[in-house]
Amino acid sequence: MAATKRSITVALSALGLLSLSGIGLLTGCENTSQKWHGTWEGDMKRLQSSAPDDVERTINLLRITILPDGTFEMLESGLSKSGTTRLDGDKAYLKVKKLLGQPIEQSGPGTQRENEDLVLEWGEDGTVVWHDPSGYGGVEVQLKRASQR
């Protein structure tokens, strides 16, 4: 009887430890994705001219907000884009679903190609590099956190 009680106690203790380690793993995964949540901004350096400051700022601004629900909102040179995110450790993959509030499928094939496979890569200094391999000349922009969610 005592041996049975001891076996049950050991089994329950083992289950408790497994549950705690499982919670720890889940929390760790959550913390990894949380580092991405928030708004990131950078200068695309597309226009450097004698244009009024607000025009130059709008053309050069890249702002990306990554939301906890697996979506993102982006403002690229004054154009609004939105879509879904896939977070994978030190990389985030952005899939544009809407351009100017309209489904991307309503755009021409060239526009659709230019909005595929947007990639963010975590930097050692806490900044993020935005890669647009399908953009003009394989554009890369360094982004800094503007706010956290």
Side-chain angles (χ1 to χ4, degrees):
M1 180 81 165
T4 304
K5 185 175 180 182
R6 190 175 328 197
S7 297
I8 291 172
T9 303
V10 169
L12 290 175
S13 295
L15 282 175
L17 287 174
L18 286 174
S19 296
L20 287 175
S21 63
I23 290 170
L25 287 173
L26 291 175
T27 304
C29 292
E30 184 62 26
N31 288 340
T32 300
S33 66
Q34 282 182 352
K35 75 179 181 182
W36 291 102
H37 299 162
T39 301
W40 301 85
E41 292 184 353
D43 184 351
M44 299 187 77
K45 298 181 174 113
R46 287 187 171 167
L47 179 66
Q48 296 174 350
S49 69
S50 59
D53 286 346
D54 55 341
V55 172
E56 186 173 325
R57 201 172 13 261
T58 299
I59 297 295
N60 291 330
L61 178 66
L62 175 63
R63 178 183 297 135
I64 301 171
T65 301
I66 298 178
L67 302 165
D69 67 356
T71 62
F72 74 91
E73 297 170 355
M74 178 188 298
L75 188 62
E76 178 188 352
S77 297
L79 298 174
S80 66
K81 299 177 181 185
S82 61
T84 58
T85 59
R86 183 173 57 86
L87 307 176
D88 186 15
D90 285 344
K91 289 190 178 181
Y93 301 90
L94 310 180
K95 176 74 173 162
V96 176
K97 298 288 188 177
K98 290 188 176 183
L99 175 64
L100 298 172
Q102 300 298 313
I104 193 76
E105 294 81 17
Q106 291 181 1
S107 303
T111 301
Q112 290 179 40
R113 270 191 309 277
E114 290 172 7
N115 287 285
E116 291 178 353
D117 303 323
L118 305 176
V119 180
L120 299 177
E121 192 166 355
W122 195 263
E124 291 179 17
D125 59 355
T127 61
V128 167
V129 177
W130 176 70
H131 302 277
D132 183 5
S134 62
Y136 306 105
V139 176
E140 290 187 357
V141 177
Q142 185 172 19
L143 304 173
K144 294 182 180 179
R145 186 183 298 278
S147 69
Q148 193 162 1
R149 293 213 172 217

